[in-house]
Amino acid sequence: MKTIAKTFTLFTFLAAVSLPAAAGQSEVFDSLSGQKAGAAIPLPGPAYGLTRDVFREVDACSILNAQFIMQPFMKDALSMLKPCLAGVSDLTGKAKISVGAVKNGKAIEITVLGSKNKDVADLIKGSLAKRNGQVFGYPASVVVIAAEPKTSILPRDVFTEVEACSIVDAQFFMQPFMKDALKMLKPCLAGVSKISADAPISVAAAKNDKVIEITVLGENNDYARSLIDASIAKRGGQLFGYPAGVVLKAAAPL
């Protein structure tokens, strides 16, 4: 009986001593969980960045874990991914992040601007790894562009931003005739013109109807030319199975 009494007394003492420490730990946990999600979080070293799932920390990224009956079209996948990456940018000190389609619209490439933001790229890389390197069923990767281009705007796949351009990523049983390819491409380029300060853009067949040549008129419209050039490059330099290129020509004299 004396042994039981001593054991009970010792247990009571230890419990009384342990309670304040547990309460203190709870207070620390509550203060951490109460931090605003929108506040910029200091980035840890690369090793931790590759194990942290930053997509789980941004509400707009929850769509990445959704189940779809059918795989979304690439343009829809990019549209859903952009708010997620905007949230990641806010979380990591406003790092500049963009996304586009590569490998003929069969893969997703996320671009982080500035070599100083390599830690941000590591966070995204780690989050992609936790999803087997895929987003919405498409292989996905992240790259860092060391320096900001002179235009201060990242080269991007402008075709993914124009609804009429979705046709360039369509799958055809047979390659369209050149005249049909040009006809389908014109509404797309009209849309590109609208988001490029109404730059005059035209398209025609070249080299005996074996090549598509897009022309941007006006030397001050080189930005529109670079957008189209980047978009074609992301499709392996081809549109509708034809080699394609873009040229900039000076405005016609008055």
Side-chain angles (χ1 to χ4, degrees):
M1 292 295 292
K2 289 182 179 181
T3 301
I4 295 173
K6 287 180 179 180
T7 302
F8 179 78
T9 303
L10 179 61
F11 176 80
T12 305
F13 173 76
L14 291 174
V17 172
S18 300
L19 283 174
Q25 290 170 358
S26 176
E27 289 173 3
V28 172
F29 179 79
D30 290 342
S31 65
L32 287 173
S33 63
Q35 289 183 352
K36 292 183 178 178
I41 297 177
L43 296 176
Y48 179 70
L50 290 173
T51 61
R52 173 181 166 190
D53 190 351
V54 72
F55 290 160
R56 288 191 175 276
E57 302 173 32
V58 178
D59 288 343
C61 294
S62 61
I63 190 70
L64 301 185
N65 299 320
Q67 299 294 321
F68 295 88
I69 297 175
M70 296 179 61
Q71 183 182 24
F73 291 113
M74 176 59 79
K75 65 183 182 67
D76 297 323
L78 297 178
S79 180
M80 290 186 287
L81 188 54
K82 286 177 182 178
C84 165
L85 295 176
V88 173
S89 174
D90 289 341
L91 193 69
T92 54
K94 299 292 185 181
K96 292 185 179 180
I97 306 171
S98 66
V99 63
V102 294
K103 297 182 180 179
N104 293 330
K106 294 181 180 179
I108 291 174
E109 183 176 88
I110 298 170
T111 302
V112 178
L113 184 65
S115 55
K116 64 180 180 180
N117 290 320
K118 185 180 182 301
D119 285 343
V120 178
D122 284 340
L123 281 177
I124 299 173
K125 188 181 296 183
S127 302
L128 291 175
K130 291 181 180 298
R131 291 162 179 80
N132 298 318
Q134 292 192 334
V135 174
F136 302 116
Y138 295 99
S141 60
V142 57
V143 296
V144 178
I145 294 182
E148 190 168 358
K150 293 181 180 180
T151 59
S152 298
I153 302 175
L154 283 171
R156 65 183 197 265
D157 188 353
V158 72
F159 290 164
T160 64
E161 303 174 30
V162 178
E163 187 174 355
C165 292
S166 61
I167 190 68
V168 301
D169 295 319
Q171 300 293 321
F172 295 88
F173 290 109
M174 295 179 61
Q175 182 183 23
F177 291 113
M178 176 60 80
K179 63 183 181 67
D180 296 323
L182 297 178
K183 185 177 180 180
M184 290 185 287
L185 194 52
K186 287 179 180 178
C188 165
L189 295 176
V192 173
S193 174
K194 288 181 180 179
I195 63 175
S196 304
D198 291 323
I201 304 172
S202 61
V203 63
K207 298 183 179 180
N208 296 325
D209 287 350
K210 294 182 179 180
V211 175
I212 292 175
E213 184 175 272
I214 299 170
T215 300
V216 179
L217 191 63
E219 293 178 350
N220 61 333
N221 289 319
D222 187 57
Y223 174 57
R225 180 208 59 77
S226 67
L227 283 179
I228 299 171
D229 189 46
S231 302
I232 294 173
K234 289 181 181 295
R235 290 164 177 79
Q238 293 190 335
L239 296 174
F240 302 112
Y242 296 98
V246 57
V247 296
L248 181 70
K249 293 185 178 179
L254 296 176

PDB file of all heavy atoms in Angstrom, residues 41-52 54 57 91-92 118-120 122-123:
ATOM      1  N   ILE A  41       6.717  34.695 -46.505  1.00  0.00           N
ATOM      2  CA  ILE A  41       7.385  33.786 -45.591  1.00  0.00           C
ATOM      3  C   ILE A  41       8.842  33.675 -46.015  1.00  0.00           C
ATOM      4  O   ILE A  41       9.139  33.395 -47.168  1.00  0.00           O
ATOM      5  CB  ILE A  41       6.723  32.394 -45.630  1.00  0.00           C
ATOM      6  CG1 ILE A  41       5.276  32.508 -45.145  1.00  0.00           C
ATOM      7  CG2 ILE A  41       7.499  31.397 -44.781  1.00  0.00           C
ATOM      8  CD1 ILE A  41       4.517  31.206 -45.218  1.00  0.00           C
ATOM      9  N   PRO A  42       9.788  33.928 -45.087  1.00  0.00           N
ATOM     10  CA  PRO A  42      11.204  33.780 -45.436  1.00  0.00           C
ATOM     11  C   PRO A  42      11.473  32.383 -45.958  1.00  0.00           C
ATOM     12  O   PRO A  42      10.999  31.402 -45.405  1.00  0.00           O
ATOM     13  CB  PRO A  42      11.921  34.032 -44.092  1.00  0.00           C
ATOM     14  CG  PRO A  42      10.937  34.804 -43.274  1.00  0.00           C
ATOM     15  CD  PRO A  42       9.578  34.311 -43.697  1.00  0.00           C
ATOM     16  N   LEU A  43      12.236  32.313 -47.027  1.00  0.00           N
ATOM     17  CA  LEU A  43      12.487  31.027 -47.649  1.00  0.00           C
ATOM     18  C   LEU A  43      13.659  30.322 -46.991  1.00  0.00           C
ATOM     19  O   LEU A  43      14.696  30.936 -46.745  1.00  0.00           O
ATOM     20  CB  LEU A  43      12.778  31.210 -49.139  1.00  0.00           C
ATOM     21  CG  LEU A  43      11.618  31.768 -49.954  1.00  0.00           C
ATOM     22  CD1 LEU A  43      12.071  31.995 -51.380  1.00  0.00           C
ATOM     23  CD2 LEU A  43      10.433  30.835 -49.917  1.00  0.00           C
ATOM     24  N   PRO A  44      13.506  29.036 -46.700  1.00  0.00           N
ATOM     25  CA  PRO A  44      14.602  28.270 -46.117  1.00  0.00           C
ATOM     26  C   PRO A  44      15.586  27.834 -47.185  1.00  0.00           C
ATOM     27  O   PRO A  44      15.470  28.205 -48.348  1.00  0.00           O
ATOM     28  CB  PRO A  44      13.871  27.063 -45.512  1.00  0.00           C
ATOM     29  CG  PRO A  44      12.706  26.879 -46.426  1.00  0.00           C
ATOM     30  CD  PRO A  44      12.299  28.270 -46.877  1.00  0.00           C
ATOM     31  N   GLY A  45      16.563  27.031 -46.800  1.00  0.00           N
ATOM     32  CA  GLY A  45      17.553  26.533 -47.744  1.00  0.00           C
ATOM     33  C   GLY A  45      16.939  25.600 -48.760  1.00  0.00           C
ATOM     34  O   GLY A  45      15.823  25.111 -48.581  1.00  0.00           O
ATOM     35  N   PRO A  46      17.662  25.333 -49.867  1.00  0.00           N
ATOM     36  CA  PRO A  46      17.149  24.491 -50.953  1.00  0.00           C
ATOM     37  C   PRO A  46      16.690  23.114 -50.499  1.00  0.00           C
ATOM     38  O   PRO A  46      15.702  22.601 -50.995  1.00  0.00           O
ATOM     39  CB  PRO A  46      18.355  24.393 -51.901  1.00  0.00           C
ATOM     40  CG  PRO A  46      19.180  25.597 -51.606  1.00  0.00           C
ATOM     41  CD  PRO A  46      18.992  25.859 -50.137  1.00  0.00           C
ATOM     42  N   ALA A  47      17.395  22.502 -49.551  1.00  0.00           N
ATOM     43  CA  ALA A  47      17.027  21.145 -49.132  1.00  0.00           C
ATOM     44  C   ALA A  47      15.617  21.107 -48.570  1.00  0.00           C
ATOM     45  O   ALA A  47      14.823  20.230 -48.899  1.00  0.00           O
ATOM     46  CB  ALA A  47      18.024  20.639 -48.094  1.00  0.00           C
ATOM     47  N   TYR A  48      15.282  22.101 -47.730  1.00  0.00           N
ATOM     48  CA  TYR A  48      13.935  22.146 -47.172  1.00  0.00           C
ATOM     49  C   TYR A  48      12.927  22.540 -48.244  1.00  0.00           C
ATOM     50  O   TYR A  48      11.801  22.059 -48.275  1.00  0.00           O
ATOM     51  CB  TYR A  48      13.876  23.140 -46.011  1.00  0.00           C
ATOM     52  CG  TYR A  48      12.501  23.258 -45.405  1.00  0.00           C
ATOM     53  CD1 TYR A  48      11.957  22.212 -44.671  1.00  0.00           C
ATOM     54  CD2 TYR A  48      11.741  24.413 -45.578  1.00  0.00           C
ATOM     55  CE1 TYR A  48      10.695  22.315 -44.114  1.00  0.00           C
ATOM     56  CE2 TYR A  48      10.481  24.516 -45.027  1.00  0.00           C
ATOM     57  CZ  TYR A  48       9.960  23.476 -44.294  1.00  0.00           C
ATOM     58  OH  TYR A  48       8.712  23.565 -43.760  1.00  0.00           O
ATOM     59  N   GLY A  49      13.356  23.427 -49.157  1.00  0.00           N
ATOM     60  CA  GLY A  49      12.457  23.868 -50.223  1.00  0.00           C
ATOM     61  C   GLY A  49      11.978  22.726 -51.088  1.00  0.00           C
ATOM     62  O   GLY A  49      10.862  22.729 -51.586  1.00  0.00           O
ATOM     63  N   LEU A  50      12.837  21.703 -51.263  1.00  0.00           N
ATOM     64  CA  LEU A  50      12.475  20.575 -52.108  1.00  0.00           C
ATOM     65  C   LEU A  50      11.548  19.592 -51.399  1.00  0.00           C
ATOM     66  O   LEU A  50      11.011  18.688 -52.015  1.00  0.00           O
ATOM     67  CB  LEU A  50      13.741  19.847 -52.574  1.00  0.00           C
ATOM     68  CG  LEU A  50      14.595  20.632 -53.585  1.00  0.00           C
ATOM     69  CD1 LEU A  50      15.901  19.905 -53.839  1.00  0.00           C
ATOM     70  CD2 LEU A  50      13.848  20.855 -54.885  1.00  0.00           C
ATOM     71  N   THR A  51      11.390  19.743 -50.084  1.00  0.00           N
ATOM     72  CA  THR A  51      10.491  18.847 -49.344  1.00  0.00           C
ATOM     73  C   THR A  51       9.198  19.533 -48.941  1.00  0.00           C
ATOM     74  O   THR A  51       8.254  18.876 -48.528  1.00  0.00           O
ATOM     75  CB  THR A  51      11.186  18.321 -48.071  1.00  0.00           C
ATOM     76  OG1 THR A  51      11.525  19.436 -47.229  1.00  0.00           O
ATOM     77  CG2 THR A  51      12.446  17.551 -48.428  1.00  0.00           C
ATOM     78  N   ARG A  52       9.137  20.822 -49.076  1.00  0.00           N
ATOM     79  CA  ARG A  52       7.949  21.583 -48.677  1.00  0.00           C
ATOM     80  C   ARG A  52       6.967  21.663 -49.837  1.00  0.00           C
ATOM     81  O   ARG A  52       7.344  21.957 -50.958  1.00  0.00           O
ATOM     82  CB  ARG A  52       8.388  22.992 -48.239  1.00  0.00           C
ATOM     83  CG  ARG A  52       7.268  23.965 -47.964  1.00  0.00           C
ATOM     84  CD  ARG A  52       7.886  25.297 -47.573  1.00  0.00           C
ATOM     85  NE  ARG A  52       6.936  26.400 -47.589  1.00  0.00           N
ATOM     86  CZ  ARG A  52       7.277  27.681 -47.471  1.00  0.00           C
ATOM     87  NH1 ARG A  52       8.554  27.999 -47.328  1.00  0.00           N
ATOM     88  NH2 ARG A  52       6.364  28.628 -47.504  1.00  0.00           N
ATOM     89  N   VAL A  54       4.539  23.809 -51.255  1.00  0.00           N
ATOM     90  CA  VAL A  54       4.021  25.175 -51.174  1.00  0.00           C
ATOM     91  C   VAL A  54       2.621  25.279 -51.771  1.00  0.00           C
ATOM     92  O   VAL A  54       1.849  26.175 -51.408  1.00  0.00           O
ATOM     93  CB  VAL A  54       4.995  26.159 -51.871  1.00  0.00           C
ATOM     94  CG1 VAL A  54       4.957  25.996 -53.378  1.00  0.00           C
ATOM     95  CG2 VAL A  54       4.701  27.600 -51.471  1.00  0.00           C
ATOM     96  N   GLU A  57      -0.177  25.495 -49.382  1.00  0.00           N
ATOM     97  CA  GLU A  57      -0.263  26.703 -48.568  1.00  0.00           C
ATOM     98  C   GLU A  57      -1.031  27.818 -49.271  1.00  0.00           C
ATOM     99  O   GLU A  57      -1.207  28.905 -48.711  1.00  0.00           O
ATOM    100  CB  GLU A  57       1.153  27.183 -48.210  1.00  0.00           C
ATOM    101  CG  GLU A  57       1.965  26.133 -47.469  1.00  0.00           C
ATOM    102  CD  GLU A  57       3.414  26.551 -47.279  1.00  0.00           C
ATOM    103  OE1 GLU A  57       3.661  27.764 -47.135  1.00  0.00           O
ATOM    104  OE2 GLU A  57       4.302  25.678 -47.280  1.00  0.00           O
ATOM    105  N   LEU A  91       3.205  34.687 -51.697  1.00  0.00           N
ATOM    106  CA  LEU A  91       3.726  34.009 -50.508  1.00  0.00           C
ATOM    107  C   LEU A  91       5.245  34.115 -50.406  1.00  0.00           C
ATOM    108  O   LEU A  91       5.812  34.016 -49.323  1.00  0.00           O
ATOM    109  CB  LEU A  91       3.310  32.538 -50.535  1.00  0.00           C
ATOM    110  CG  LEU A  91       3.479  31.715 -49.257  1.00  0.00           C
ATOM    111  CD1 LEU A  91       2.502  32.187 -48.194  1.00  0.00           C
ATOM    112  CD2 LEU A  91       3.260  30.238 -49.542  1.00  0.00           C
ATOM    113  N   THR A  92       5.888  34.330 -51.546  1.00  0.00           N
ATOM    114  CA  THR A  92       7.351  34.304 -51.579  1.00  0.00           C
ATOM    115  C   THR A  92       7.956  35.657 -51.949  1.00  0.00           C
ATOM    116  O   THR A  92       8.984  35.719 -52.618  1.00  0.00           O
ATOM    117  CB  THR A  92       7.832  33.238 -52.579  1.00  0.00           C
ATOM    118  OG1 THR A  92       7.222  33.480 -53.860  1.00  0.00           O
ATOM    119  CG2 THR A  92       7.457  31.853 -52.113  1.00  0.00           C
ATOM    120  N   LYS A 118      15.975  31.566 -57.011  1.00  0.00           N
ATOM    121  CA  LYS A 118      16.162  30.122 -57.175  1.00  0.00           C
ATOM    122  C   LYS A 118      15.458  29.342 -56.063  1.00  0.00           C
ATOM    123  O   LYS A 118      14.950  28.236 -56.285  1.00  0.00           O
ATOM    124  CB  LYS A 118      17.646  29.776 -57.192  1.00  0.00           C
ATOM    125  CG  LYS A 118      17.911  28.300 -57.490  1.00  0.00           C
ATOM    126  CD  LYS A 118      19.394  27.988 -57.504  1.00  0.00           C
ATOM    127  CE  LYS A 118      19.614  26.509 -57.844  1.00  0.00           C
ATOM    128  NZ  LYS A 118      18.962  25.605 -56.895  1.00  0.00           N
ATOM    129  N   ASP A 119      15.410  29.931 -54.849  1.00  0.00           N
ATOM    130  CA  ASP A 119      14.717  29.256 -53.752  1.00  0.00           C
ATOM    131  C   ASP A 119      13.233  29.087 -54.059  1.00  0.00           C
ATOM    132  O   ASP A 119      12.617  28.091 -53.685  1.00  0.00           O
ATOM    133  CB  ASP A 119      14.880  30.038 -52.445  1.00  0.00           C
ATOM    134  CG  ASP A 119      16.285  29.873 -51.853  1.00  0.00           C
ATOM    135  OD1 ASP A 119      16.982  28.938 -52.265  1.00  0.00           O
ATOM    136  OD2 ASP A 119      16.662  30.687 -50.993  1.00  0.00           O
ATOM    137  N   VAL A 120      12.658  30.071 -54.753  1.00  0.00           N
ATOM    138  CA  VAL A 120      11.252  29.983 -55.142  1.00  0.00           C
ATOM    139  C   VAL A 120      11.075  28.842 -56.149  1.00  0.00           C
ATOM    140  O   VAL A 120      10.128  28.052 -56.055  1.00  0.00           O
ATOM    141  CB  VAL A 120      10.760  31.319 -55.751  1.00  0.00           C
ATOM    142  CG1 VAL A 120       9.305  31.199 -56.202  1.00  0.00           C
ATOM    143  CG2 VAL A 120      10.912  32.448 -54.740  1.00  0.00           C
ATOM    144  N   ASP A 122      12.920  26.249 -56.359  1.00  0.00           N
ATOM    145  CA  ASP A 122      13.068  24.988 -55.617  1.00  0.00           C
ATOM    146  C   ASP A 122      11.774  24.609 -54.903  1.00  0.00           C
ATOM    147  O   ASP A 122      11.417  23.424 -54.823  1.00  0.00           O
ATOM    148  CB  ASP A 122      14.198  25.114 -54.594  1.00  0.00           C
ATOM    149  CG  ASP A 122      15.576  25.036 -55.243  1.00  0.00           C
ATOM    150  OD1 ASP A 122      15.669  24.517 -56.368  1.00  0.00           O
ATOM    151  OD2 ASP A 122      16.553  25.497 -54.624  1.00  0.00           O
ATOM    152  N   LEU A 123      11.060  25.617 -54.374  1.00  0.00           N
ATOM    153  CA  LEU A 123       9.778  25.351 -53.723  1.00  0.00           C
ATOM    154  C   LEU A 123       8.788  24.741 -54.712  1.00  0.00           C
ATOM    155  O   LEU A 123       8.103  23.760 -54.419  1.00  0.00           O
ATOM    156  CB  LEU A 123       9.193  26.640 -53.146  1.00  0.00           C
ATOM    157  CG  LEU A 123       9.759  27.139 -51.820  1.00  0.00           C
ATOM    158  CD1 LEU A 123       9.111  28.467 -51.446  1.00  0.00           C
ATOM    159  CD2 LEU A 123       9.536  26.131 -50.711  1.00  0.00           C
TER     160      LEU A 123
END
